Amino acid sequence: MKMEEVSMSSLDNSKLEGLAQDILSDLVEDACLGLCFEVHRAVKQGYFFLDDTDQESMRDFEIVDQPGLDVFGQVYNQWKNKECVCPNCSRSIAASRFAPHLEKCLGMGRNSSRIANRRIVTGNNTNNKSESDQEDNDDVNDNDWSYGAEKKAKKRKSDKNPNSPRRSKSFKHKSTCCLFP
Amino acid sequence: MSKDSQMRVAINQKLIEMGERERLKELLRAKLVECGWKDQLKAHCKDVIKEKGLEHVTVEDLVTEVTPKGRALVPDSVKKELLQRIRAFLAQHATL
């Protein structure tokens, strides 16, 4: 009895497998037919060959795969090492530092006013020496990550700058402090 | 009708009624596009059309040329995945 059951179920399995294969075959045929109809319509409506370009254009716009060039064949880091001459101080500046340098050199932009204020203060404290150092300070200010920047930050904290807005803030704080003994 | 064909008819009906056939169709279509089957076959169609002439090609031409190749080009992984789903459906809904 058991043997029969086993053989029965294997028969059914093979039947089911056959059925599954047939269903798959139908689905694949549907997919093929779908493609045929799609292509036929495209041919009759005239848009089947629309995405083809002639061989010459294909060669013209082929993707470039060489070192040092991007996919269009342009050199993409040729401005890295170029230097520009500043119209203000007539110094030769690296291209990537040119915009920030101009900002400080011409006295425009957000940071240049703060630096100017700081210079006024240091000019008052240590008169002549710092004035002659102003040109060199420019270099220090140009490098965002140099040691000089750290010095600059430290200096700011101990600054009692009459022109900076911070002064008035601490003033406010002092007055409120007095209210709470 | 034999019991077998009865069962087949019933199963196919269930497939359609439950929307599973449509889902399987969409799954197959997506997989075939993904694996590049559609592009391969389209390229073959181009050859057929160039051969028969753009004006004179008929649906029958395309079907007779394309279907056998289409069947052969379906990758095994796609077949496997579809069969798995079909078998799962049959296991659930086939009454013997």
Side-chain angles (χ1 to χ4, degrees):
Chain A
M1 282 275 251
K2 264 195 176 174
M3 284 265 292
E4 277 181 7
E5 279 177 11
V6 169
S7 61
M8 272 289 281
S9 61
S10 63
L11 243 174
D12 297 329
N13 266 347
S14 66
K15 266 194 213 160
L16 280 181
E17 187 60 31
L19 184 53
Q21 291 283 356
D22 285 342
I23 293 173
L24 178 66
S25 175
D26 276 343
L27 288 168
V28 170
E29 178 141 358
D30 271 357
C32 291
L33 277 178
L35 182 71
C36 288
F37 286 135
E38 204 180 297
V39 167
H40 184 257
R41 183 166 206 274
V43 166
K44 293 305 174 186
Q45 295 286 351
Y47 61 81
F48 186 61
F49 286 110
L50 224 53
D51 53 352
D52 280 350
T53 29
D54 58 310
Q55 274 293 92
E56 204 179 296
S57 312
M58 292 279 271
R59 264 182 282 129
D60 276 344
F61 298 118
E62 219 177 313
I63 289 180
V64 177
D65 188 17
Q66 294 168 22
L69 299 178
D70 63 13
V71 287
F72 298 114
Q74 297 165 347
V75 187
Y76 59 84
N77 57 1
Q78 63 175 315
W79 306 114
K80 248 192 199 174
N81 306 320
K82 291 236 164 124
E83 291 191 344
C84 323
V85 178
C86 173
N88 208 31
C89 59
S90 305
R91 284 202 297 172
S92 182
I93 313 286
S96 48
R97 302 299 321 162
F98 191 51
H101 164 77
L102 266 186
E103 215 183 7
K104 283 147 195 159
C105 195
L106 293 171
M108 300 167 73
R110 284 196 301 170
N111 294 323
S112 58
S113 60
R114 290 195 202 133
I115 293 162
N117 287 332
R118 197 168 62 76
R119 282 202 205 141
I120 291 167
V121 174
T122 57
N124 288 337
N125 288 340
T126 57
N127 267 338
N128 282 330
K129 213 183 183 183
S130 73
E131 275 186 283
S132 62
D133 280 338
Q134 268 181 27
E135 277 268 336
D136 294 331
N137 276 346
D138 215 358
D139 255 336
V140 172
N141 296 334
D142 271 345
N143 295 318
D144 283 339
W145 309 114
S146 70
Y147 179 55
E150 279 180 59
K151 272 179 158 180
K152 186 169 75 174
K154 280 188 183 167
K155 245 186 176 175
R156 270 203 187 148
K157 282 186 179 171
S158 51
D159 233 357
K160 293 203 172 172
N161 195 336
N163 298 333
S164 85
R166 272 207 186 138
R167 183 57 188 264
S168 47
K169 232 189 183 179
S170 57
F171 224 70
K172 250 195 204 169
H173 188 70
K174 272 186 182 165
S175 62
T176 52
C177 264
C178 292
L179 290 174
F180 301 96
Chain B
M1 261 214 282
S2 72
K3 245 187 170 178
D4 271 351
S5 21
Q6 268 186 323
M7 181 194 65
R8 279 175 167 243
V9 168
I11 281 284
N12 277 318
Q13 210 171 8
K14 245 188 179 163
L15 257 172
I16 296 172
E17 278 173 6
M18 296 183 67
E20 185 66 14
R21 191 167 198 276
E22 196 65 34
R23 279 191 287 270
L24 287 169
K25 237 172 103 172
E26 279 312 306
L27 178 65
L28 179 61
R29 197 166 290 172
K31 292 264 161 209
L32 289 175
V33 168
E34 224 174 76
C35 70
W37 173 94
K38 191 173 177 186
D39 295 324
Q40 271 181 301
L41 229 50
K42 241 185 169 178
H44 182 63
C45 286
K46 279 192 185 158
D47 296 332
V48 171
I49 292 164
K50 282 180 184 150
E51 194 190 341
K52 305 272 178 175
L54 197 69
E55 298 296 320
H56 307 294
V57 70
T58 63
V59 184
E60 285 84 10
D61 288 334
L62 285 173
V63 169
T64 37
E65 295 285 335
V66 165
T67 310
K69 192 150 193 220
R71 280 181 185 286
L73 280 176
V74 179
D76 284 335
S77 55
V78 176
K79 277 194 214 169
K80 254 188 182 175
E81 198 174 329
L82 264 272
L83 275 175
Q84 246 182 333
R85 268 189 73 152
I86 297 170
R87 279 187 214 124
F89 182 84
L90 290 177
Q92 265 191 312
H93 301 281
T95 49
L96 294 155

